[in-house]
Amino acid sequence: MNHKFTFDGYGKVRDMFIFSCFTGMAHADEMIQRSFDGDLWIVKKRQKTSTPFKIKLCGITKRIIARYKREVAGTNLVLLVPYIAYCNRVLKKIAAEVGIDKTMITYHMARHTFATTNALAQGIRIEVVSRMLGHTNIKTAQIYAKVTDDMLAKGFDEMADIYSAKYSLA
């Protein structure tokens, strides 16, 4: 996230990828509006399925939007995301430049990162993640539900706390 690239265009693709990592937005989906709580939300229907989704923007996503504010001035866009093929080509170059050994890095991996690392691993319920991603069926979100050893340990610790407060042995 903090790497300074030699070519300026790499930074933009990185920022768009990071934006997707923190929102779960697919390359094709974009629209941001103020919502019931006064904050900025992505409110849209998924282009692929026409299923509505809502995602509240957090600090880093708001900073990315602010970084590109001048670029979209006078339009109804929030971000100008380069074509998907260009993004995927640049992501491979970025991975090589920063030392990530990943042969098949794609823009869509940001959505997976959002679901697994930034949502499910942080304790967000799968039903909520499914809605955030605009899935039509919770089974679609279940592909992201990989249980890590840390998640397993945390689950047992939480269960132990519940049991110790609820049950006693004579």
Side-chain angles (χ1 to χ4, degrees):
M1 285 176 52
N2 296 309
H3 186 78
K4 302 283 187 218
F5 295 103
T6 52
F7 178 64
D8 202 30
Y10 288 10
K12 182 176 183 179
V13 172
R14 182 254 341 260
D15 290 348
M16 299 305 115
F17 186 82
I18 297 299
F19 188 85
S20 185
C21 284
F22 282 90
T23 62
M25 289 206 39
H27 183 272
D29 296 324
E30 180 187 300
M31 180 176 212
I32 299 175
Q33 65 185 44
R34 291 214 179 268
S35 194
F36 63 93
D37 61 358
D39 263 327
L40 292 175
W41 287 71
I42 298 167
V43 181
K44 190 162 179 179
K45 289 183 179 180
R46 290 270 293 130
Q47 185 176 9
K48 183 177 174 182
T49 62
S50 294
T51 304
F53 69 95
K54 293 180 184 179
I55 298 173
K56 188 173 183 174
L57 297 180
C58 63
I60 196 159
T61 54
K62 288 179 181 179
R63 287 193 299 273
I64 290 171
I65 289 169
R67 181 176 284 176
Y68 297 96
K69 190 175 185 178
R70 263 191 246 150
E71 191 177 281
V72 296
T75 72
N76 63 349
L77 299 173
V78 177
L79 293 170
L80 285 174
V81 182
Y83 289 107
I84 189 72
Y86 174 78
C87 287
N88 287 335
R89 273 195 316 274
V90 171
L91 284 170
K92 286 176 181 45
K93 293 175 183 178
I94 288 171
E97 187 171 323
V98 299
I100 296 173
D101 184 26
K102 198 79 166 152
T103 55
M104 282 303 298
I105 189 164
T106 65
Y107 197 90
H108 190 71
M109 291 176 98
R111 235 169 111 74
H112 288 264
T113 300
F114 169 76
T116 57
T117 305
N118 293 336
L120 293 170
Q122 303 306 317
I124 308 299
R125 292 188 355 248
I126 194 162
E127 298 87 356
V128 175
V129 174
S130 181
R131 287 285 304 273
M132 289 173 161
L133 293 171
H135 288 155
T136 54
N137 187 321
I138 197 163
K139 289 183 180 189
T140 309
Q142 287 176 331
I143 64 168
Y144 303 115
K146 297 176 181 137
V147 178
T148 65
D149 287 344
D150 287 342
M151 292 167 72
L152 190 61
K154 182 180 176 188
F156 275 110
D157 289 344
E158 290 171 358
M159 199 167 59
D161 290 345
I162 292 167
Y163 290 167
S164 66
K166 193 171 185 175
Y167 301 107
S168 62
L169 188 61

